[in-house]
Amino acid sequence: MPGPIDDRLRDAIAAARARSLAVARDWTDEAALRAVTTRFADATTLAEGEAAARALAEDAGWVTALLAPWIARLRDDPLFEPPFKSQRDMLRTGMVLAETPVASVTMAAIDPLAPAARALPDTIVVGGRVSWTRYLRGGDARLWRWRADRIDDRWHGGIAAPARPLGVQPLADGAVVRLDGRSDAMLLVDPATAVVSVTITLRHAAAPFMREYDRRSGALVRVATLDDGAARSTMLLTLLRELGQADAEVFDALSRDPAFFVRWDAMREWLASDARAALPRLQAMVDDPHPDVRAAARAMLPVVEARMEPAWPA
């Protein structure tokens, strides 16, 4: 049975939650937040977004202005919940400070005593987006960097060029680091003290994929789309095939999707569901704008056409 202390604690948490929600409703009108988000209001290109991101990274006084009121609230009200989305894993604690259609602004703290801070991961990630990071505290860590050609540039017969190391960069307090996540990866290693960083990640001109490479060999391990809509489309295609609900209109429409990998996923699932109905569209895809789709269509077309030929009696 819950005791009186449990009841009081539950009531205190519920009251703090109500206070937190009331404050969060007005958060988007805070001057400190508007001072950050308005920097991206007129950015319509990657270059303009980068100019705003670089300015934020190089003069990080806005971080104090943004966080100071919430730190003061927490001193007076330890159960208060600031209006930031947060996430914690075995290595870092992070939170989203601001979101705009152009960029997201996040903050992260890495615990140097966490076991994950001493164990190098097996893979490195080319995240697909350009970012600028200010290391408020560098923790005497080092940044290892790699470069991997974009799949669109060097995707020959399904074999991607390996990621290659670029070097190691010491990480001092106040360091500003630009990462072109469309082609580069980096890994923070050997922090001696806490690492605290603020990162501005831009959405303009993002790659269609994020890629993961083996850290030792540089070999491509896996690829994942950054487009939520495309990911849902490919899952829908698989679901339709598995349920035996092949709809020629749906498959045909998705075989014309702006994302080239969705176009081919649609054709692959359509062929598995009803190759005869898919054949005319497959014949047209030998002239697809993307070289990977053209190559796949040209390789598959004679196989499908051969299966469509009538079987003659012996």
Side-chain angles (χ1 to χ4, degrees):
M1 294 289 293
I5 294 178
D6 296 326
D7 291 339
R8 289 197 298 271
L9 179 58
R10 183 177 61 249
D11 292 343
I13 292 173
R17 179 66 173 165
R19 293 193 299 274
S20 302
L21 290 173
V23 172
R25 282 193 288 269
D26 299 326
W27 163 231
T28 55
D29 292 327
E30 290 283 339
L33 177 61
R34 291 200 309 272
V36 174
T37 57
T38 54
R39 291 178 181 246
F40 298 99
D42 298 324
T44 59
T45 66
L46 176 60
E48 292 169 345
E50 283 212 65
R54 181 175 182 175
L56 285 174
E58 291 183 342
D59 183 6
W62 58 271
V63 178
T64 300
L66 191 67
L67 296 182
W70 308 110
I71 294 172
R73 282 181 181 272
L74 285 168
R75 288 196 182 105
D76 297 334
D77 186 357
L79 294 178
F80 179 80
E81 299 176 33
F84 303 114
K85 296 177 184 177
S86 61
Q87 183 177 3
R88 176 175 293 179
D89 59 27
M90 296 178 63
L91 179 61
R92 62 175 53 80
T93 300
M95 59 184 180
V96 179
L97 300 182
E99 287 272 16
T100 81
V102 174
S104 63
V105 182
T106 57
M107 191 170 190
I110 292 177
D111 178 4
L113 300 180
R118 300 297 170 187
L120 291 177
D122 293 331
T123 59
I124 56 172
V125 176
V126 177
R129 294 188 171 99
V130 176
S131 65
W132 285 80
T133 299
R134 170 70 174 257
Y135 289 91
L136 304 173
R137 295 183 183 177
D140 293 323
R142 294 175 296 147
L143 284 180
W144 289 6
R145 304 189 68 146
W146 288 262
R147 175 153 301 157
D149 292 309
R150 301 183 200 179
I151 285 182
D152 282 355
D153 299 335
R154 295 286 302 279
W155 183 250
H156 299 306
I159 301 174
R164 59 189 187 277
L166 293 180
V168 180
Q169 174 183 348
L171 200 57
D173 291 354
V176 174
V177 176
R178 177 187 184 270
L179 177 70
D180 188 341
R182 299 168 299 179
S183 57
D184 292 5
M186 68 182 185
L187 187 63
L188 188 147
V189 300
D190 297 333
T193 60
V195 178
V196 181
S197 62
V198 175
T199 298
I200 304 98
T201 304
L202 298 160
R203 295 188 171 90
H204 280 311
F209 305 110
M210 63 175 292
R211 293 171 277 149
E212 199 169 354
Y213 291 82
D214 182 81
R215 178 174 58 81
R216 296 177 182 84
S217 68
L220 181 66
V221 174
R222 61 183 61 89
V223 176
T225 179
L226 291 174
D227 185 335
D228 290 341
R232 288 191 292 270
S233 294
T234 56
M235 287 190 290
L236 171 63
L237 288 164
T238 301
L239 180 62
L240 289 172
R241 178 178 57 79
E242 290 289 341
L243 294 176
Q245 300 294 320
D247 185 320
E249 290 186 4
V250 172
F251 284 117
D252 183 78
L254 289 174
S255 75
R256 305 171 194 275
D257 193 271
F260 75 90
F261 54 92
V262 174
R263 295 200 297 274
W264 185 248
D265 274 353
M267 177 50 60
R268 186 179 65 244
E269 298 289 2
W270 197 1
L271 288 170
S273 300
D274 187 348
R276 189 173 298 279
L279 180 57
R281 178 68 186 129
L282 176 63
Q283 292 168 333
M285 290 180 80
V286 299
D287 295 319
D288 189 90
H290 197 278
D292 290 351
V293 176
R294 291 198 301 271
R298 289 167 183 170
M300 183 60 67
L301 183 58
V303 176
V304 176
E305 288 179 332
R307 291 180 179 177
M308 294 300 103
E309 292 177 357
W312 296 101

